[in-house]
């Protein structure tokens, strides 16, 4: 029953309780009152004072860094493909794509936050290539000041600092001969016949995108999540223990 409701929500279908997003219907569909709008604006201004928002210059810098990482990934796939005996024309078309997830993808990152990224490659590229050739290519970049590969982690990752921004690079190999720029990951058929570590790596990006698809108002979601993050950070800094209970 829950699965049916989730599918209906994802597809934007109507249920017996009316059309809605999410597993259960909303408590109220009434719009905000003028007082609530004023309170929301006051909350937004307070969050600005608390320094939870990144300025435009830093945001542009992140975009530039991600663009460079995208190009490095494509160069890596090309070089690894050629080394495996593929012609240069086929190797060039093999592609490769960077996805983001976590707070950056959700749109609630702040100054100094890291970026969680997923490097998606075609089927002939191995994880060993990622932790050897790709790592070497990263280290050769003048923008990179740190690299820390953790190949045996539950979700294998390369931690790096690129132009002063902390980046976590995870890896996933799809059962596809090429990875195009327009690839999306919501199709669960992409998970078939994959290594368990690849499935775990894909999970971060897929779950983040599912959350964004199920949120009726991203603006309201962003504001609420930033408030929760700030509260949690303040509680933890004061020595409090926070336990989140998730429903099965």
């Amino acid at each position: 029953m829950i699965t049916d409701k989730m599918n209906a929500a994802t597809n934007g279908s109507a249920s017996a309780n009316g059309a809605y997003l999410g597993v259960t219907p909303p408590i109220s569909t009434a719009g905000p009152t003028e007082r609530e709008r004023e309170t929301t604006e006051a909350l937004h201004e307070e969050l600005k004072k608390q320094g939870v928002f990144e300025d435009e210059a830093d945001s542009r810098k992140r975009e530039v860094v991600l663009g460079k990482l995208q190009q490095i990934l494509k160069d890596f796939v090309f070089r690894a493909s050629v080394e495996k005996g593929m012609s240069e024309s086929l190797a060039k078309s093999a592609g490769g794509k960077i996805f983001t997830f976590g707070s950056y993808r959700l749109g609630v990152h702040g100054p100094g936050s890291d970026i969680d990224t997923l490097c998606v490659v075609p089927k002939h590229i191995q994880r060993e290539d990622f932790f050897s050739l790709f790592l070497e290519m990263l280290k050769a970049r003048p923008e990179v000041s740190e690299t820390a590969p953790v190949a045996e982690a539950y979700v294998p990752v390369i931690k790096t600092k690129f132009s002063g921004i902390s980046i976590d690079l995870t890896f996933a190999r799809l059962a596809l001969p090429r990875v195009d720029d327009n690839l999306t990951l919501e199709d669960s058929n992409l998970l078939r016949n994959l290594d368990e570590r690849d499935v775990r790596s894909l999970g971060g990006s897929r779950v983040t995108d599912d959350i964004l698809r199920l949120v009726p108002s991203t603006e309201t979601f962003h504001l609420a999540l930033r408030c929760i993050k700030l509260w949690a950070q303040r509680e933890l800094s004061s020595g409090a223990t926070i336990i989140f209970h998730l429903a099965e």
Side-chain angles (χ1 to χ4, degrees), residues 32 38 43 45 73-74 84 89 111 149 155 160 179 192 201 232 237 247:
E38 293 174 358
L43 177 60
E45 291 302 316
L73 180 66
K74 286 193 173 184
K84 295 177 186 298
S89 60
V155 177
T160 188
V179 171
R192 291 182 178 177
S201 295
S237 65

Side-chain angles (χ1 to χ4, degrees), residues 144-161:
V144 173
S145 57
E146 299 175 15
T147 54
V150 191
E152 301 305 318
Y154 185 73
V155 177
V157 62
I158 295 176
K159 293 179 175 291
T160 188
K161 188 162 284 190

Side-chain angles (χ1 to χ4, degrees), residues 118-137:
L118 170 66
C119 302
V120 177
V121 300
K123 61 183 180 180
H124 59 278
I125 306 297
Q126 304 296 321
R127 186 173 292 103
E128 291 75 17
D129 300 322
F130 181 70
F131 283 98
S132 56
L133 177 57
F134 183 81
L135 182 60
E136 290 175 10
M137 294 174 68

Side-chain angles (χ1 to χ4, degrees), residues 54-157:
E54 186 174 62
D55 62 37
E56 290 186 12
D58 286 338
S59 294
R60 287 194 296 270
K61 182 179 179 181
R62 288 178 185 270
E63 292 173 3
V64 170
V65 166
L66 287 171
K68 290 181 178 180
L69 286 171
Q70 174 64 57
Q71 189 56 55
I72 293 171
L73 180 66
K74 286 193 173 184
D75 291 344
F76 156 67
V77 171
F78 173 79
R79 287 180 54 181
S81 300
V82 170
E83 287 181 5
K84 295 177 186 298
M86 188 176 288
S87 68
E88 289 195 1
S89 60
L90 285 177
K92 188 174 182 178
S93 67
K97 185 174 180 179
I98 291 276
F99 292 85
T100 59
F101 59 99
S103 63
Y104 182 80
R105 176 72 179 102
L106 288 172
V108 295
H109 63 287
S113 297
D114 63 358
I115 305 179
D116 296 308
T117 64
L118 170 66
C119 302
V120 177
V121 300
K123 61 183 180 180
H124 59 278
I125 306 297
Q126 304 296 321
R127 186 173 292 103
E128 291 75 17
D129 300 322
F130 181 70
F131 283 98
S132 56
L133 177 57
F134 183 81
L135 182 60
E136 290 175 10
M137 294 174 68
L138 270 182
K139 290 180 177 179
R141 298 285 300 209
E143 305 97 327
V144 173
S145 57
E146 299 175 15
T147 54
V150 191
E152 301 305 318
Y154 185 73
V155 177
V157 62

Side-chain angles (χ1 to χ4, degrees), residues 6-19:
M6 290 181 70
N7 289 336
T10 303
N11 296 326
S13 303
S15 71
N17 297 309

